[in-house]
Amino acid sequence: MTTRMNASSSGARTKFRGKRKESILITNGYFSGLEMVLKKKRTLLGKSTTCDICLDHNLVSEEHALIYKSGPTCWIEDLNSKHGTFINNREIHRAKLKNKDKISIGDFTLEFHC
């Protein structure tokens, strides 16, 4: 797995001054503990190296899912991936994200923080 996000591999939660930023924490596999701050309004997840978060696995589509912000709310949308996107073990097409939601894409389990 590679990532184009500014990330810390220490496993420690980042403390933010002022307004809290949204982030994704990988909770399984080799990169478990890696947290990536979502700095853009739209974050593309997928196998392609052009994605903001690249998840290299055969069950991940080239452009698999999109996390985006609309006002104060964060959403995730499946981009018609072959194997689906799951939030807390439920397959979704589009869903509002809440703090500590578990996102499953391929073999990756990601935890959303806001």
Side-chain angles (χ1 to χ4, degrees), residues 2-114:
T2 59
T3 180
R4 294 186 171 280
M5 300 293 296
N6 185 11
S8 167
S9 60
S10 67
R13 298 273 303 144
T14 305
K15 292 186 179 182
F16 298 98
R17 292 193 176 123
K19 187 177 177 185
R20 172 113 186 162
K21 294 283 187 181
E22 293 80 14
S23 64
I24 294 290
L25 175 69
I26 298 176
T27 61
N28 69 329
Y30 183 78
F31 290 98
S32 181
L34 179 67
E35 184 174 26
M36 296 155 282
V37 175
L38 305 179
K39 294 184 176 185
K40 298 163 54 175
K41 281 192 169 199
R42 299 169 56 90
T43 301
L44 185 60
L45 294 87
K47 188 175 5 182
S48 172
T49 57
T50 61
C51 289
D52 300 301
I53 299 177
C54 183
L55 304 170
D56 189 15
H57 189 269
N58 62 342
L59 297 177
V60 178
S61 296
E62 291 295 314
E63 292 185 349
H64 196 101
L66 178 68
I67 296 175
Y68 62 95
K69 195 164 187 171
S70 178
T73 305
C74 285
W75 295 85
I76 186 165
E77 184 174 335
D78 183 81
L79 300 175
N80 297 316
S81 65
K82 183 175 181 181
H83 297 287
T85 299
F86 298 80
I87 303 294
N88 302 322
N89 297 318
R90 282 192 3 224
E91 188 169 12
I92 60 96
H93 296 286
R94 180 176 181 251
K96 181 178 177 180
L97 285 169
K98 299 181 297 299
N99 192 42
K100 296 193 177 180
D101 272 347
K102 302 277 192 268
I103 303 166
S104 299
I105 295 176
D107 267 0
F108 293 92
T109 303
L110 314 167
E111 189 173 87
F112 177 77
H113 291 270
C114 60

